[in-house]
Amino acid sequence: MTTETVVPMHDLQEAVHGDGHDYLSGSPHLRHAYLNRWMRDTLNDVVAGLADRLGRPPRVIEVGAGHGGFTETMVSAGAEVVVTEMSGPSARSIAARFRHNPRVQVHHDLDGRLDVHGEADLVVYMAVLHHIPDYLASLEEAVRIVAPGGAIVTFQDPLYYPRQPRTAVALSRAATLAWRVTEGELARGFRTLSRRVRGIYDESLPSDMSEYHVVRDGVDEDAIALLLRRSFADVDVHRYFSTQGGWTQTLGQRVLRPNTFGVVARSRR
């Protein structure tokens, strides 16, 4: 069964605290408390469900853990987590953070292979798929290593641009530009936006080439759902609005169309 939802604003706002930011996660998109808490609650629910069914700690492979904020969430929920991180500094940082916790293993993984880490009950991608050039191939490999009854969770990837109205894409980019103003990156933001509007991508500039979703028009959520539906009994696609800045996030989730998605696939056949 495949279901698709647009996350209601009030469901996300239930978790707002203080100034609406959570700085446990490194990505600006993941700092907003209402998004952060919702994603953590989802991971808690999936891990707890697996633990209840298995009668043991679920084995999780987390692809690209960043600063380890969601790793901590899953460990607290009862999981044993294998972190695969392509960034050397990030791998060292996470290893230091969990150096006294035997339930976390960190691997500096340069080639991105998942099969070398063995079978998993859950594979998690948090704000990662859009950094992987062939994300469908990575997901296919993830499906192969998920044990029967297991799950895959992805969050924080940009919706496929060609299926969005041009105005929605433009407004989403404008929200990012507004955030750059507050971060003192206005000039770089204008230069990057100018190149993208003209279809120019400079391979020498990380701002152009590190985010593969910009080059290839986002991430195809429908293709991901179709791929996962072949192997999982339940596949939920969640669409929501997300941007970097605090006030632009608050405004955008009220008036703008969803621009970001997550997928929760459960019950591996």
Side-chain angles (χ1 to χ4, degrees):
M1 176 180 68
T2 299
T3 61
E4 301 189 7
T5 61
V6 175
V7 179
M9 180 184 67
H10 61 79
D11 284 354
L12 299 181
Q13 287 183 321
E14 288 180 354
V16 175
H17 298 288
D19 63 356
H21 290 75
D22 177 76
Y23 292 96
L24 290 177
S25 300
S27 170
H29 296 78
L30 299 176
R31 293 176 183 173
H32 310 300
Y34 30 87
L35 291 179
N36 197 295
R37 173 68 73 84
W38 172 55
M39 295 176 193
R40 290 177 190 273
D41 286 348
T42 300
L43 288 173
N44 273 322
D45 181 64
V46 173
V47 171
L50 288 169
D52 288 345
R53 184 180 64 81
L54 297 169
R56 60 169 173 79
R59 188 171 191 268
V60 179
I61 294 180
E62 183 181 10
V63 183
H67 291 253
F70 292 101
T71 310
E72 187 173 83
T73 294
M74 292 185 287
V75 170
S76 297
E80 296 178 348
V81 183
V82 177
V83 172
T84 69
E85 179 58 65
M86 296 185 72
S87 164
S90 290
R92 290 190 292 273
S93 174
I94 298 171
R97 178 174 180 173
F98 294 101
R99 63 187 179 278
H100 300 305
N101 193 328
R103 292 167 61 188
V104 178
Q105 301 176 32
V106 181
H107 298 272
H108 181 202
D109 187 0
L110 291 174
D111 59 14
R113 287 184 58 189
L114 299 181
D115 57 350
V116 298
H117 304 293
E119 189 176 68
D121 301 301
L122 169 63
V123 177
V124 173
Y125 298 83
M126 298 297 291
V128 169
L129 286 180
H130 59 274
H131 293 285
I132 302 174
D134 193 345
Y135 55 89
L136 291 177
S138 180
L139 283 167
E140 287 175 345
E141 185 176 8
V143 170
R144 288 194 291 271
I145 66 170
V146 172
I152 291 178
V153 173
T154 82
F155 269 117
Q156 205 60 27
D157 290 298
L159 290 168
Y160 193 48
Y161 298 170
R163 282 195 291 269
Q164 298 183 68
R166 291 184 179 181
T167 53
V169 175
L171 288 170
S172 180
R173 287 173 173 170
T176 299
L177 187 61
W179 169 75
R180 291 193 184 282
V181 172
T182 65
E183 296 295 304
E185 296 185 348
L186 180 59
R188 184 170 75 87
F190 268 123
R191 289 194 296 270
T192 301
L193 180 60
S194 174
R195 290 192 302 274
R196 289 176 183 174
V197 167
R198 291 177 289 149
I200 298 172
Y201 302 97
D202 188 337
E203 294 187 9
S204 67
L205 298 175
S207 59
D208 279 9
M209 301 310 296
S210 63
E211 298 284 338
Y212 287 99
H213 65 87
V214 172
V215 180
R216 66 178 175 221
D217 290 335
V219 176
D220 193 336
E221 74 278 11
D222 286 354
I224 289 174
L226 179 62
L227 184 156
L228 296 178
R229 187 171 61 180
R230 297 170 185 153
S231 302
F232 292 84
D234 296 299
V235 179
D236 298 325
V237 179
H238 303 277
R239 293 175 171 85
Y240 55 96
F241 181 82
S242 175
T243 191
Q244 292 98 328
W247 69 268
T248 50
Q249 174 67 37
T250 301
L251 177 64
Q253 69 187 29
R254 288 179 178 274
V255 302
L256 299 182
R257 295 171 61 97
N259 62 357
T260 309
F261 75 96
V263 179
V264 180
R266 306 178 194 241
S267 302
R268 171 78 159 94
R269 296 188 183 96

